[in-house]
Amino acid sequence: MFCDAAALTASSGCSSSTRLAERRDLHRQPMSREDKEAQEDELLALASIYSEDEFKRSETAPGGEICVCLDLPPNFSVAIKGDCASNEYMGSFEDIVSFLPPIILDFELPPGYPSTDPPAFKLSCKWLSPSQLALLCQRLENLWEEYAGGVVLFAWMQFLKEGTLEYLKINSPYEIQLCEFGPKCIRNNSGISDSCSATGPAEAVIWDKRAIQDVESVAALIDCILDFNEAQQKKCFDSKWYMCNICFSEKVKLLVGEELFSRYDRLLLQSSLDLMADVVYCPLLNCQTPVMLEPGGTMGICSNCNYAFCTLCKMVYHGVAGCNITTEKLVEEDLEEDQDEKLFEEDLEEDQDEKLVEEDLEEDHDVFTPEKLILVREEYLEADAAGKKLLEKRYGKHKILKAVERKSTEWLETNTQQCPNCNASIQKDGGCNKMICRKCNKDFCWLCFAVLSTENPYDHFKDISSGCFNQM
């Protein structure tokens, strides 16, 4: 199918020439301070809202390039018929695509923008005909007039992205219209096309020079459509999370219930924050909100209670004044923390020795046999709050808790293995042998407990020299 090359009326051509002459005069005018600030603010806002793939600011002039990818409906079909472009392409093309190459808006802001003068622009696209692009150019001009001297680039982007398909009445299946390639389609200096139709006599029409269908050949257009669609689909896939059909990570929540999952989520966040050197907790006991620290700074400001504190002494922030805590006190606190950690580790080692636990329990007036120890422990675990307090008073809270911890330790020893990177306890109840530690996020092999490559963790199971070859 051939297009009419965006024919415009002669009167609109005259008015366009008049507008162009007016713009040239405006370019010679000095820029007001208000216009300069408005231009800079708008360009900065666009750069902060959109990625570099969507907006590129010019380094040499007040302007840039905007790339707009449309959101296509599901199962959107595009086609190119075999009788187009002077019969260069004799076959036919039709395919379902999720993405089409972008509409590109090149613009430059004149000195009178936005108070009196609109942006100068060109609109190009590979799959929209010059006549369709000309309609979009007219709509952009109308939007500028509607905004009456205000900044308009963001409104242009929104219209192109959200309104193009409806405005041009494009639906699936969509047949791409192409102008004739080659010497038959010639534009003279006045913007008049000597021929732009495959059938019928040549008709003199006016082109909108701002509307450009950037296509070298039908074959190149087909390649561009397929390559862009594939690249965007991969980009979209890489930016999302998908459920693993082996470990079903996204099913935690549905299986354990809201309350238990909330506790898991809280503990997971806390463990992650504990590994971050630039995070401390608000020192107020009724708050304890995590606070991000500035590099090299000693002041923390709680986002929850607005408490400003010194990250060294945990007291109210005192500026350049020294902390009301001596160096010896800091060293002493560090030693106490190290000692507490050491004692905790020793307690765990003691708990792993059942004989020591039994000896500890025998110090109580009510001596436990191993059988009685198990019964008391199970009774304690099944009791309500009042029952737990009664058992703690009778047998001693410290001894009962040690027995309970012993059961947890036995379960961990029987049912879990330690992460080779951070020593966190990990349980495996199925799935493949490529594991990931939820504490340190390291991949490792469940068979040999080797830490795997972050980039290609599965290569370990493909290596013939590995003892875990083909055992994933």
Side-chain angles (χ1 to χ4, degrees):
M1 179 183 292
F2 291 96
C3 68
D4 60 1
L8 303 177
T9 63
S11 60
S12 66
C14 293
S15 61
S16 296
S17 300
T18 303
R19 285 196 298 269
L20 288 173
E22 293 174 351
R23 290 175 190 171
R24 284 194 292 269
D25 293 337
L26 286 171
H27 271 286
R28 300 189 186 100
Q29 297 178 3
M31 181 185 296
S32 67
R33 180 175 60 84
E34 291 79 6
D35 283 339
K36 185 176 181 179
E37 291 179 354
Q39 290 186 17
E40 183 65 22
D41 290 344
E42 184 177 29
L43 293 175
L44 288 175
L46 292 177
S48 64
I49 294 173
Y50 298 102
S51 67
E52 293 184 359
D53 294 336
E54 297 173 294
F55 172 70
K56 296 179 182 178
R57 181 173 179 176
S58 173
E59 297 180 356
T60 58
E65 178 184 275
I66 294 172
C67 296
V68 180
C69 289
L70 305 189
D71 296 325
L72 301 179
N75 300 318
F76 190 82
S77 174
V78 294
I80 301 176
K81 300 303 181 181
D83 60 348
C84 67
S86 67
N87 293 323
E88 174 192 335
Y89 183 74
M90 299 303 297
S92 61
F93 166 79
E94 186 171 359
D95 202 357
I96 302 293
V97 296
S98 300
F99 302 93
L100 282 170
I103 301 173
I104 299 177
L105 175 67
D106 286 300
F107 68 92
E108 183 176 347
L109 304 180
Y113 175 81
S115 60
T116 58
D117 200 25
F121 67 91
K122 291 182 179 180
L123 205 59
S124 62
C125 184
K126 296 182 180 296
W127 53 275
L128 290 176
S129 69
S131 61
Q132 291 171 314
L133 290 169
L135 291 174
L136 294 180
C137 290
Q138 293 177 12
R139 178 56 184 156
L140 296 185
E141 284 188 338
N142 294 338
L143 282 174
W144 154 252
E145 295 174 357
E146 292 174 10
Y147 274 72
V151 293
V152 76
L153 291 177
F154 181 79
W156 281 5
M157 292 185 71
Q158 290 297 101
F159 163 71
L160 290 175
K161 186 172 183 63
E162 301 175 3
T164 293
L165 296 180
E166 181 180 359
Y167 188 74
L168 297 179
K169 297 180 173 59
I170 293 177
N171 298 301
S172 178
Y174 170 64
E175 182 179 342
I176 297 177
Q177 302 176 16
L178 294 171
C179 262
E180 188 174 359
F181 301 104
K184 291 185 178 179
C185 187
I186 302 173
R187 304 176 197 174
N188 57 33
N189 292 333
S190 65
I192 298 178
S193 172
D194 296 324
S195 175
C196 70
S197 176
T199 60
E203 180 181 357
V205 292
I206 301 297
W207 287 65
D208 191 329
K209 292 185 176 181
R210 301 171 300 180
I212 303 170
Q213 187 172 27
D214 183 21
V215 178
E216 297 178 359
S217 66
V218 178
L221 173 60
I222 294 174
D223 289 342
C224 180
I225 290 175
L226 295 177
D227 291 345
F228 185 83
N229 183 58
E230 181 180 358
Q232 289 297 108
Q233 284 182 326
K234 184 179 185 305
K235 182 178 179 181
C236 184
F237 179 86
D238 292 341
S239 66
K240 296 180 180 179
W241 288 89
Y242 296 88
M243 183 176 69
C244 172
N245 290 326
I246 296 178
C247 59
F248 296 99
S249 295
E250 293 186 3
K251 295 291 184 181
V252 172
K253 187 173 182 180
L254 296 178
L255 298 175
V256 300
E258 191 69 33
E259 182 178 353
L260 186 57
F261 181 81
S262 297
R263 180 171 180 266
Y264 160 78
D265 199 36
R266 175 177 56 81
L267 293 175
L268 180 62
L269 174 62
Q270 182 177 339
S271 65
S272 300
L273 293 174
D274 289 342
L275 295 174
M276 302 172 66
D278 58 347
V279 172
V280 297
Y281 292 92
C282 175
L284 297 183
L285 295 179
N286 61 347
C287 183
Q288 298 289 299
T289 301
V291 178
M292 293 287 295
L293 301 181
E294 294 293 333
T298 60
M299 181 178 70
I301 301 179
C302 178
S303 60
N304 181 47
C305 65
N306 295 321
Y307 178 62
F309 60 94
C310 172
T311 59
L312 299 178
C313 64
K314 303 299 188 295
M315 303 299 289
V316 175
Y317 185 67
H318 44 74
V320 296
C323 296
N324 291 326
I325 184 171
T326 63
T327 303
E328 292 77 8
K329 182 64 176 177
L330 288 174
V331 173
E332 181 181 343
E333 289 182 352
D334 289 339
L335 291 175
E336 288 178 355
E337 290 180 359
D338 292 341
Q339 184 65 20
D340 289 341
E341 184 176 351
K342 184 177 180 181
L343 291 174
F344 177 75
E345 292 175 352
E346 290 177 353
D347 285 343
L348 289 180
E349 292 176 358
E350 290 176 358
D351 286 346
Q352 293 172 2
D353 189 341
E354 184 175 353
K355 185 176 180 180
L356 289 178
V357 175
E358 292 177 357
E359 291 176 355
D360 217 13
L361 292 172
E362 288 174 358
E363 294 176 6
D364 198 282
H365 297 293
D366 198 350
V367 179
F368 285 157
T369 63
E371 293 78 10
K372 186 175 181 179
L373 170 63
I374 295 175
L375 292 175
V376 172
R377 184 172 64 188
E378 296 302 323
E379 182 182 358
Y380 181 83
L381 292 173
E382 295 175 1
D384 57 14
K388 283 183 170 64
K389 287 184 178 180
L390 181 62
L391 291 171
E392 289 170 1
K393 185 176 182 180
R394 178 179 179 185
Y395 298 109
K397 182 176 180 180
H398 176 69
K399 293 179 175 60
I400 289 183
L401 292 181
K402 271 185 168 291
V404 172
E405 290 173 2
R406 171 62 182 166
K407 181 177 182 180
S408 299
T409 303
E410 290 174 350
W411 188 93
L412 290 174
E413 290 175 348
T414 304
N415 297 279
T416 67
Q417 298 286 355
Q418 289 184 317
C419 168
N421 183 64
C422 68
N423 295 324
S425 297
I426 297 176
Q427 181 190 20
K428 181 178 184 296
D429 58 0
C432 65
N433 287 316
K434 197 280 291 184
M435 303 291 289
I436 182 170
C437 176
R438 295 302 181 187
K439 181 178 180 181
C440 65
N441 289 325
K442 287 291 185 180
D443 294 301
F444 67 93
C445 173
W446 186 258
L447 299 177
C448 67
F449 289 91
V451 177
L452 306 181
S453 166
T454 303
E455 293 77 16
N456 298 295
Y458 295 99
D459 286 352
H460 175 72
F461 303 97
K462 300 176 183 178
D463 186 0
I464 300 177
S465 62
S466 170
C468 305
F469 172 68
N470 210 21
Q471 297 187 50
M472 190 180 80

